[in-house]
């Protein structure tokens, strides 16, 4: 498996979103959920409509079984995710029990390889030259969460890492960036 990196520049993220939104609501929603929740690619591709949609609107939380603890773990579906779902699901032909990212060929979800092609193509079109893959979405979430002041201990828990060093390396934080975290309480 090749080492992929997070997308650190917001302009590049927004460019990818524009590219994906023009090509497919499904693909746009895949990317938006991936970069805003930090769930792994396998869980992302296995999502069913009923896990994120109550029949009329997006749910506030997505609950997934945590493989380590075997309990349910909640993932907040922020405004960006909710908007993407509202722009995708009412116009799709998907039913509650369908996969959220259903293949156009059958009733199964798109494959990991197809998700890779979608993300990689949009990244290249956005001018991103670094190695990009489905794991990039998870790393991008972690990088930006850290930059916005989310405690490294919380990210360690999300990623099931055993040390701060492992998590910082995973999300691509350099020594200089460790000192530049913005805790913007903005009361």
């Amino acid at each position: 498996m090749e080492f992929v990196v997070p997308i650190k520049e917001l302009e590049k993220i927004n460019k990818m979103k524009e590219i994906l939104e023009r090509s497919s609501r499904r693909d746009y929603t895949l990317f938006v959920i991936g970069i805003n929740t930090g769930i792994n690619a396998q869980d992302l591709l296995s999502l069913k409509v009923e896990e994120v949609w109550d029949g009329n609107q997006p749910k506030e939380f997505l609950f997934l079984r945590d493989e380590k603890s075997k309990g349910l773990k909640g993932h907040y579906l922020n405004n960006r995710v909710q908007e993407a779902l509202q722009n995708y699901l009412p116009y799709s032909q998907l039913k509650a029990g369908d996969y959220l990212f259903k293949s156009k060929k059958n009733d199964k979800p798109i494959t990991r390889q197809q998700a890779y092609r979608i993300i990689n193509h949009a990244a290249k079109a956005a001018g991103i030259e670094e190695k990009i893959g489905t794991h990039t979405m998870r790393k991008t979430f972690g990088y930006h969460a850290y930059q916005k002041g989310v405690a490294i201990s919380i990210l360690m828990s999300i990623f099931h890492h055993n040390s701060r060093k492992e998590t910082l390396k995973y999300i691509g934080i350099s020594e200089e960036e460790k000192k530049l975290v913005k805790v913007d309480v903005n009361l």
Side-chain angles (χ1 to χ4, degrees), residues 2 18 35 42 66 124 177:
E2 286 194 52
E18 286 173 25
I35 64 173
Q42 196 56 50
D66 185 301
K124 298 297 176 227
E177 288 171 310

Side-chain angles (χ1 to χ4, degrees), residues 28 44 77 123 134 171:
Y28 171 79
L44 185 60
L77 302 179
T134 54
I171 62 176

Side-chain angles (χ1 to χ4, degrees), residues 152 156 161-173 175 178:
I152 196 70
M156 285 171 57
H161 290 165
N162 295 316
S163 71
R164 292 173 40 88
K165 184 177 179 179
E166 179 184 13
T167 301
L168 290 169
K169 181 179 178 185
Y170 179 79
I171 62 176
I173 299 292
E175 285 299 317
K178 281 189 214 178

Side-chain angles (χ1 to χ4, degrees), residues 1-14:
M1 183 201 267
E2 286 194 52
F3 183 77
V4 298
V5 297
I7 305 165
K8 295 181 178 183
E9 298 84 17
L10 289 175
E11 309 83 49
K12 289 184 179 178
I13 291 171
N14 288 330

Side-chain angles (χ1 to χ4, degrees), residues 20-52:
L20 289 165
E21 192 169 30
R22 280 195 310 263
S23 69
S24 163
R25 287 181 182 175
R26 180 197 69 187
D27 298 350
Y28 171 79
T29 304
L30 171 78
F31 184 66
V32 169
I33 292 175
I35 64 173
N36 282 284
T37 63
I39 64 176
N40 69 47
Q42 196 56 50
D43 286 339
L44 185 60
L45 297 176
S46 298
L47 288 178
K48 300 266 182 125
V49 171
E50 63 201 356
E51 294 176 282
V52 296

